C-alpha cells in the first residue's frame, strides 16, 4: 500500500508522469477498434436481443421445478419441446430464473393457446396448475419504453452539455465529454450485442445510470485541468498539453480508487443476480453498471482529456503558450 501511495504522490507532484496526452493516437485507435469490433459482431449476430418488454409476446413462468436446479439444460429443452408441440412455428426462449423456476417467452398467443400451454407445462413439469403463471406484453408498450428512453437520453445529453459549457466556460470541454459519453454507451451496449444478452428496461436504466457516473469522473478530471491551465502564466514551464497531462496524472489514483469502490458492490450484485437468482432485473442492471463503470473510467482518462487537447491545440493562445514555454526553457538552459 505504501508503494501505491508513493506512486500516487509522485504522479501528483510530477515526479513521475504517464504520457496520456502524447499517446492519444494510441488511445483513439484502441477505442476505435473496440467500437468497430462490437458493432461488427453485433451486426453479424443479427442485431441486439430485445427482451419481451420491447418486442412484445407471451411469457410463462413455472415455479418450484425440481429439474431446473438439478439439470437446467434438460429443463430448458423440456420447456421448448412443450411449447413447440402446441404452437406451430413458435421459437420459444427458455431460461432458468431464481434457481428453480422456468421462464418461457414466445410470440403473443391467443387466449386459447395460452390455456393449452399452461396446462401442458404444468403436466410436463409435474407441478400444480397454479404454479404456472402467464402474462403477455404488447409491442406498443415496448415502443413507449424505447421512445421515453431516447427522450431521456437526449434531455440528459443536452442539459449535461449546457452545464459543462457554463461551468468550464468552453464548449470544447462539452464536446470532449459528450464524445466520451458516446464511447461509453456504444461499448456498454455493444457488450450486450456481442454476447447476446437481453436488453430489458432494467438494462436501459443501467445504460442511463452509467452516463452519469462517466460524466462525474470526466468532470473531476476537467476540474483539475482548469485549475492547472489557469495557473499557467508567462513564466510557466509547461505547455497546455503538459498541464492537461499533469491533471490526468494527478486525478489518476482517485479515478482508479473510485472505480474500484463502485465496481465491487456492483460485481457482488452481478454475481448474486447471475448465480443465485438467475438472469433477471438484478443481473440486467448490474451488468450494464459493471461494464459502464469500467468503460467510463477508461474514457475519462484516455479519451476525454486527450481529446480536449486535440480540440484546442490549434488555438492561437495555446500555440503562443507553447512557444513562450519553449523560450523560457531555452533561456533557463542558457543561464545555466
Amino acid at each position: 500500500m505504501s508503494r501505491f501511495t508513493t506512486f500516487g504522490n509522485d504522479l501528483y507532484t510530477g515526479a513521475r508522469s504517464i504520457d496520456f496526452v502524447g499517446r492519444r493516437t494510441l488511445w483513439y485507435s484502441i477505442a476505435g477498434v473496440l467500437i468497430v469490433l462490437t458493432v461488427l459482431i453485433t451486426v453479424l449476430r443479427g442485431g441486439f436481443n430485445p427482451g419481451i418488454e420491447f418486442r412484445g409476446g407471451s411469457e410463462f413462468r413455472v415455479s418450484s421445478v425440481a429439474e431446473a436446479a438439478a439439470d437446467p439444460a434438460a429443463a430448458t429443452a423440456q420447456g421448448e419441446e412443450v411449447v413447440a408441440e402446441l404452437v406451430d412455428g413458435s421459437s420459444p426462449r427458455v431460461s432458468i430464473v431464481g434457481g428453480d423456476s422456468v421462464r418461457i417467452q414466445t410470440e403473443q398467443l391467443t387466449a386459447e393457446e395460452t390455456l393449452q400451454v399452461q396446462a401442458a407445462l404444468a403436466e410436463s413439469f409435474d407441478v400444480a396448475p397454479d404454479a404456472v403463471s402467464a402474462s403477455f406484453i404488447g409491442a406498443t408498450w415496448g415502443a413507449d419504453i424505447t421512445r421515453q428512453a431516447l427522450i431521456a437520453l437526449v434531455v440528459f445529453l443536452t442539459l449535461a452539455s449546457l452545464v459543462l459549457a457554463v461551468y468550464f466556460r468552453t464548449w470544447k470541454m462539452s464536446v470532449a465529454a459528450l464524445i466520451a459519453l458516446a464511447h461509453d454507451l456504444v461499448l456498454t451496449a455493444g457488450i450486450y450485442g456481442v454476447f447476446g444478452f437481453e436488453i430489458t428496461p432494467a438494462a436501459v436504466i443501467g445504460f442511463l445510470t452509467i452516463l452519469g457516473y462517466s460524466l462525474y469522473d470526466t468532470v473531476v478530471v476537467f476540474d483539475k485541468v482548469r485549475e492547472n491551465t489557469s495557473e499557467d502564466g508567462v513564466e510557466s514551464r509547461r505547455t497546455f498539453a503538459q498541464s492537461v497531462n499533469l491533471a490526468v496524472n494527478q486525478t489518476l489514483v482517485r479515478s482508479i480508487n473510485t472505480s474500484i469502490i463502485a465496481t465491487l458492490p456492483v460485481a457482488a450484485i452481478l454475481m448474486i443476480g447471475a448465480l443465485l437468482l438467475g438472469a433477471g432485473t438484478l443481473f440486467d442492471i448490474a451488468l450494464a453498471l459493471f461494464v459502464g463503470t469500467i468503460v467510463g473510467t477508461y474514457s475519462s482518462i484516455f479519451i476525454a482529456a486527450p481529446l480536449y487537447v486535440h480540440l484546442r491545440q490549434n488555438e492561437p493562445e495555446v500555440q503562443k503558450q507553447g512557444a513562450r514555454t519553449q523560450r523560457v526553457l531555452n533561456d533557463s538552459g542558457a543561464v545555466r
Side-chain angles (χ1 to χ4, degrees), residues 86-149:
L86 292 175
V87 183
D88 294 334
S90 64
S91 299
R93 300 184 183 187
V94 184
S95 58
I96 307 300
V97 295
D100 64 347
S101 297
V102 181
R103 183 180 66 186
I104 302 102
Q105 295 179 340
T106 70
E107 63 275 8
Q108 191 164 330
L109 305 179
T110 64
E112 182 180 351
E113 290 174 330
T114 299
L115 292 175
Q116 291 176 351
V117 171
Q118 277 186 283
L121 288 173
E123 180 180 355
S124 178
F125 286 106
D126 192 22
V127 296
D130 58 2
V132 183
S133 61
S135 60
F136 69 91
I137 298 175
T140 55
W141 189 78
D144 289 339
I145 291 180
T146 302
R147 186 176 64 256
Q148 294 300 324

Side-chain angles (χ1 to χ4, degrees), residues 214-243:
S214 176
L215 186 63
Y216 161 78
D217 206 34
T218 301
V219 167
V220 169
V221 176
F222 279 174
D223 201 46
K224 194 61 181 177
V225 167
R226 183 178 63 171
E227 180 182 333
N228 286 358
T229 54
S230 64
E231 294 174 352
D232 292 336
V234 293
E235 300 298 325
S236 175
R237 292 174 175 268
R238 298 192 306 252
T239 64
F240 178 79
Q242 289 170 339
S243 293

Side-chain angles (χ1 to χ4, degrees), residues 159-175:
L159 292 178
S161 60
L162 291 175
V163 171
L164 284 175
V166 172
Y167 181 72
F168 292 110
R169 298 183 181 87
T170 171
W171 62 268
K172 292 184 178 179
M173 275 192 175
S174 293
V175 172

Side-chain angles (χ1 to χ4, degrees), residues 257-271 290 293:
N257 288 338
T258 303
S259 178
I260 292 174
I261 292 172
T263 53
L264 284 178
V266 172
I269 295 173
L270 184 60
M271 296 298 291
F290 183 78
T293 300

